[in-house]
Amino acid sequence: MIRFSENHSLKQHNTFGIEARAKYFFEFTDVEDLSVFLNSNESIKEEKILVIGEGSNILFLNDFDGLVIHPNLPGIQVVKEDRQNIWLEVGAGEVWDEFVQYAVDYQLGGIENLSLIPGSVGAAPVQNIGAYGQEVGNVVEKVKGFDLSNNMLIEFSAEQCDFGYRSSIFKSKLKNSFIITSVVFRLEKFPEFVLNYGQVEEKAKEKGEVNLHSVRDAVIEIRQSKLPDVKDLGNAGSFFKNPEVDIEIAEKLKNQFENIPVYPTKPGKAKLAAGWLIEKPGWKGVREGDVGVHEKQALVLVNYGYSSGQEIFDFSEKIKQSVFEKFGVELESEVNCI
Ligand code: EPU
């Protein structure tokens, strides 16, 4: 199936619920259709390109004057198996959390802590989604896709993906020049649970035995208690990254602000909790017009109704400014602002 339209509304394609339009919109369910479409439309190749999955990490500041490509490729297939692991190839268009549910149902471990993250499977490696001590990059074996610079299907090993904290080659060097079509995951038949983040262990134990189902349920419960559901309130999860700073700066801040959360990362570096840095100057729960900081998690900006992308962006800049003035720390957006 293909769908091509002009002046296409993107409201249903971004979880902030921003009313923006794309000059051209192309959706496909078969990789062949993508190459046929691009090869038969010479002029379209000149357009700016934006690839979107579920649109759960994007903020449109304006209409998009170019071609939006929405890969809607389905399917989950076993590609290899041994005593310990199973390798599954999953279409980019599958809904991430439905895939997590599938893995848990088949007793396969490695992504249960990533339950309930909004978005598509194809988007998961782009920003190396992570939560509660797991990151998708740790279970990705390969990423397959279509290289727009030469219209060829190519694949990347996990190492070539260059995964980092909320980053990968697909978000940097290959931004909008590579369309992920499927991802091969290596999951564990005998999972080792990651329980040491926040309340995960406590909540899983409350449910009886610690197993894939109880860990998934624990993560869902924690997320639902803090993070707004995109179905009820427009948002894109964490708007900012947790900033990494030199350890000397972290120590200086610790002397000034006793309770500041500091997580050493690598030698000489530490991460700070952006949520805390935003909450401290009083932003948590603040609303201006239709844009606000979520009342239970200061890292999340929400659209209460009819906010424009620009209003959300301007509001985010004010927060950045205020955090910089108070702590001398520069926040960086996690969300892709277009
Ligand atoms: N904190 C505050 N105030 C807040 C929020 C957090 O003081 O409003 C403090 C907490 O008390 C805690 C620390 O910040 O000491 C960390 O908080 P939390 O465990 O809620 O996680 P986070 O660092 O705020 C990150 C991810 C989330 C992910 C959680 C859980 C980033 C940018 N965000 O948030 O990911 O769900 O950890 O692993 O790394 C996302 O990327 O969209 C996302 C929601």
Side-chain angles (χ1 to χ4, degrees):
M1 190 278 278
I2 63 163
R3 182 155 67 131
F4 177 71
S5 54
E6 291 182 32
N7 193 26
H8 188 93
S9 168
L10 297 169
K11 195 172 165 77
Q12 303 301 326
H13 295 282
N14 74 97
T15 57
F16 258 124
I18 300 298
E19 182 55 271
R21 290 190 164 261
K23 185 173 168 195
Y24 301 115
F25 182 89
F26 180 68
E27 177 182 353
F28 61 101
T29 51
D30 195 316
V31 180
E32 273 292 289
D33 292 329
L34 174 65
S35 64
V36 170
F37 172 75
L38 292 172
N39 286 323
S40 56
N41 285 277
E42 276 306 316
S43 63
I44 212 118
K45 285 192 208 152
E46 307 303 315
E47 296 290 337
K48 270 193 296 179
I49 287 182
L50 175 69
V51 186
I52 63 176
E54 300 280 301
S56 58
N57 201 46
I58 206 162
L59 178 67
F60 288 106
L61 304 191
N62 289 301
D63 288 342
F64 186 71
D65 185 28
L67 169 67
V68 169
I69 298 181
H70 177 50
N72 198 359
L73 300 157
I76 303 180
Q77 273 170 353
V78 176
V79 288
K80 198 164 90 175
E81 188 170 353
D82 67 14
R83 225 167 48 83
Q84 300 287 337
N85 297 101
I86 198 157
W87 284 259
L88 297 175
E89 180 165 357
V90 186
E94 291 287 339
V95 172
W96 172 259
D97 190 54
E98 288 174 12
F99 171 52
V100 178
Q101 178 73 62
Y102 174 98
V104 167
D105 286 345
Y106 282 92
Q107 306 292 336
L108 299 169
I111 52 174
E112 57 285 354
N113 291 24
L114 308 181
S115 289
L116 213 64
I117 294 183
S120 64
V121 165
V126 177
Q127 62 148 336
N128 188 17
I129 58 169
Y132 309 103
Q134 275 180 351
E135 266 183 2
V136 78
N138 296 332
V139 295
V140 166
E141 176 84 12
K142 263 183 209 168
V143 173
K144 299 186 181 181
F146 194 82
D147 185 351
L148 290 165
S149 63
N150 54 16
N151 285 4
M152 266 175 36
L153 284 169
I154 51 173
E155 53 184 58
F156 287 82
S157 67
E159 208 190 345
Q160 291 169 323
C161 293
D162 201 15
F163 289 121
Y165 167 59
R166 296 296 193 278
S167 72
S168 75
I169 193 167
F170 311 109
K171 207 178 165 180
S172 53
K173 231 162 86 184
L174 298 180
K175 193 171 178 181
N176 296 319
S177 69
F178 185 73
I179 300 175
I180 294 175
T181 53
S182 67
V183 183
V184 180
F185 298 94
R186 185 193 58 260
L187 300 181
E188 306 275 334
K189 291 183 180 174
F190 308 102
E192 277 177 36
F193 300 104
V194 181
L195 301 171
N196 54 1
Y197 190 106
Q199 297 169 289
V200 176
E201 181 162 21
E202 174 196 331
K203 293 265 181 217
K205 282 186 172 157
E206 267 170 32
K207 298 178 192 310
E209 191 195 333
V210 171
N211 57 34
L212 290 172
H213 284 280
S214 63
V215 173
R216 172 169 163 79
D217 290 347
V219 167
I220 290 177
E221 202 176 302
I222 298 167
R223 286 188 76 94
Q224 285 177 336
S225 72
K226 287 194 185 171
L227 295 165
D229 188 330
V230 294
K231 289 192 207 92
D232 306 327
L233 203 54
N235 76 89
S238 299
F239 195 91
F240 302 102
K241 287 187 190 179
N242 286 327
E244 193 174 55
V245 296
D246 290 342
I247 201 87
E248 296 79 30
I249 292 177
E251 272 160 13
K252 231 167 109 189
L253 287 167
K254 192 109 206 148
N255 289 333
Q256 255 180 298
F257 306 95
E258 208 187 323
N259 301 325
I260 188 171
V262 172
Y263 316 100
T265 44
K266 48 187 179 237
K269 294 275 177 190
K271 233 187 241 175
L272 305 173
W276 189 92
L277 298 173
I278 296 168
E279 181 174 346
K280 195 78 184 162
W283 285 103
K284 199 171 189 170
V286 170
R287 177 174 173 171
E288 285 181 9
D290 262 354
V291 48
V293 176
H294 188 53
E295 55 194 6
K296 296 191 189 130
Q297 165 52 292
L299 254 189
V300 178
L301 301 190
V302 293
N303 176 6
Y304 284 103
Y306 297 96
S307 185
S308 70
Q310 190 65 48
E311 281 164 343
I312 295 173
F313 182 78
D314 292 346
F315 188 67
S316 79
E317 288 292 307
K318 270 204 228 174
I319 294 173
K320 264 189 185 172
Q321 182 67 28
S322 146
V323 166
F324 186 74
E325 277 163 16
K326 189 160 177 78
F327 304 103
V329 174
E330 193 106 41
L331 291 182
E332 192 192 326
S333 303
E334 199 227 86
V335 166
N336 190 8
C337 299
I338 302 286

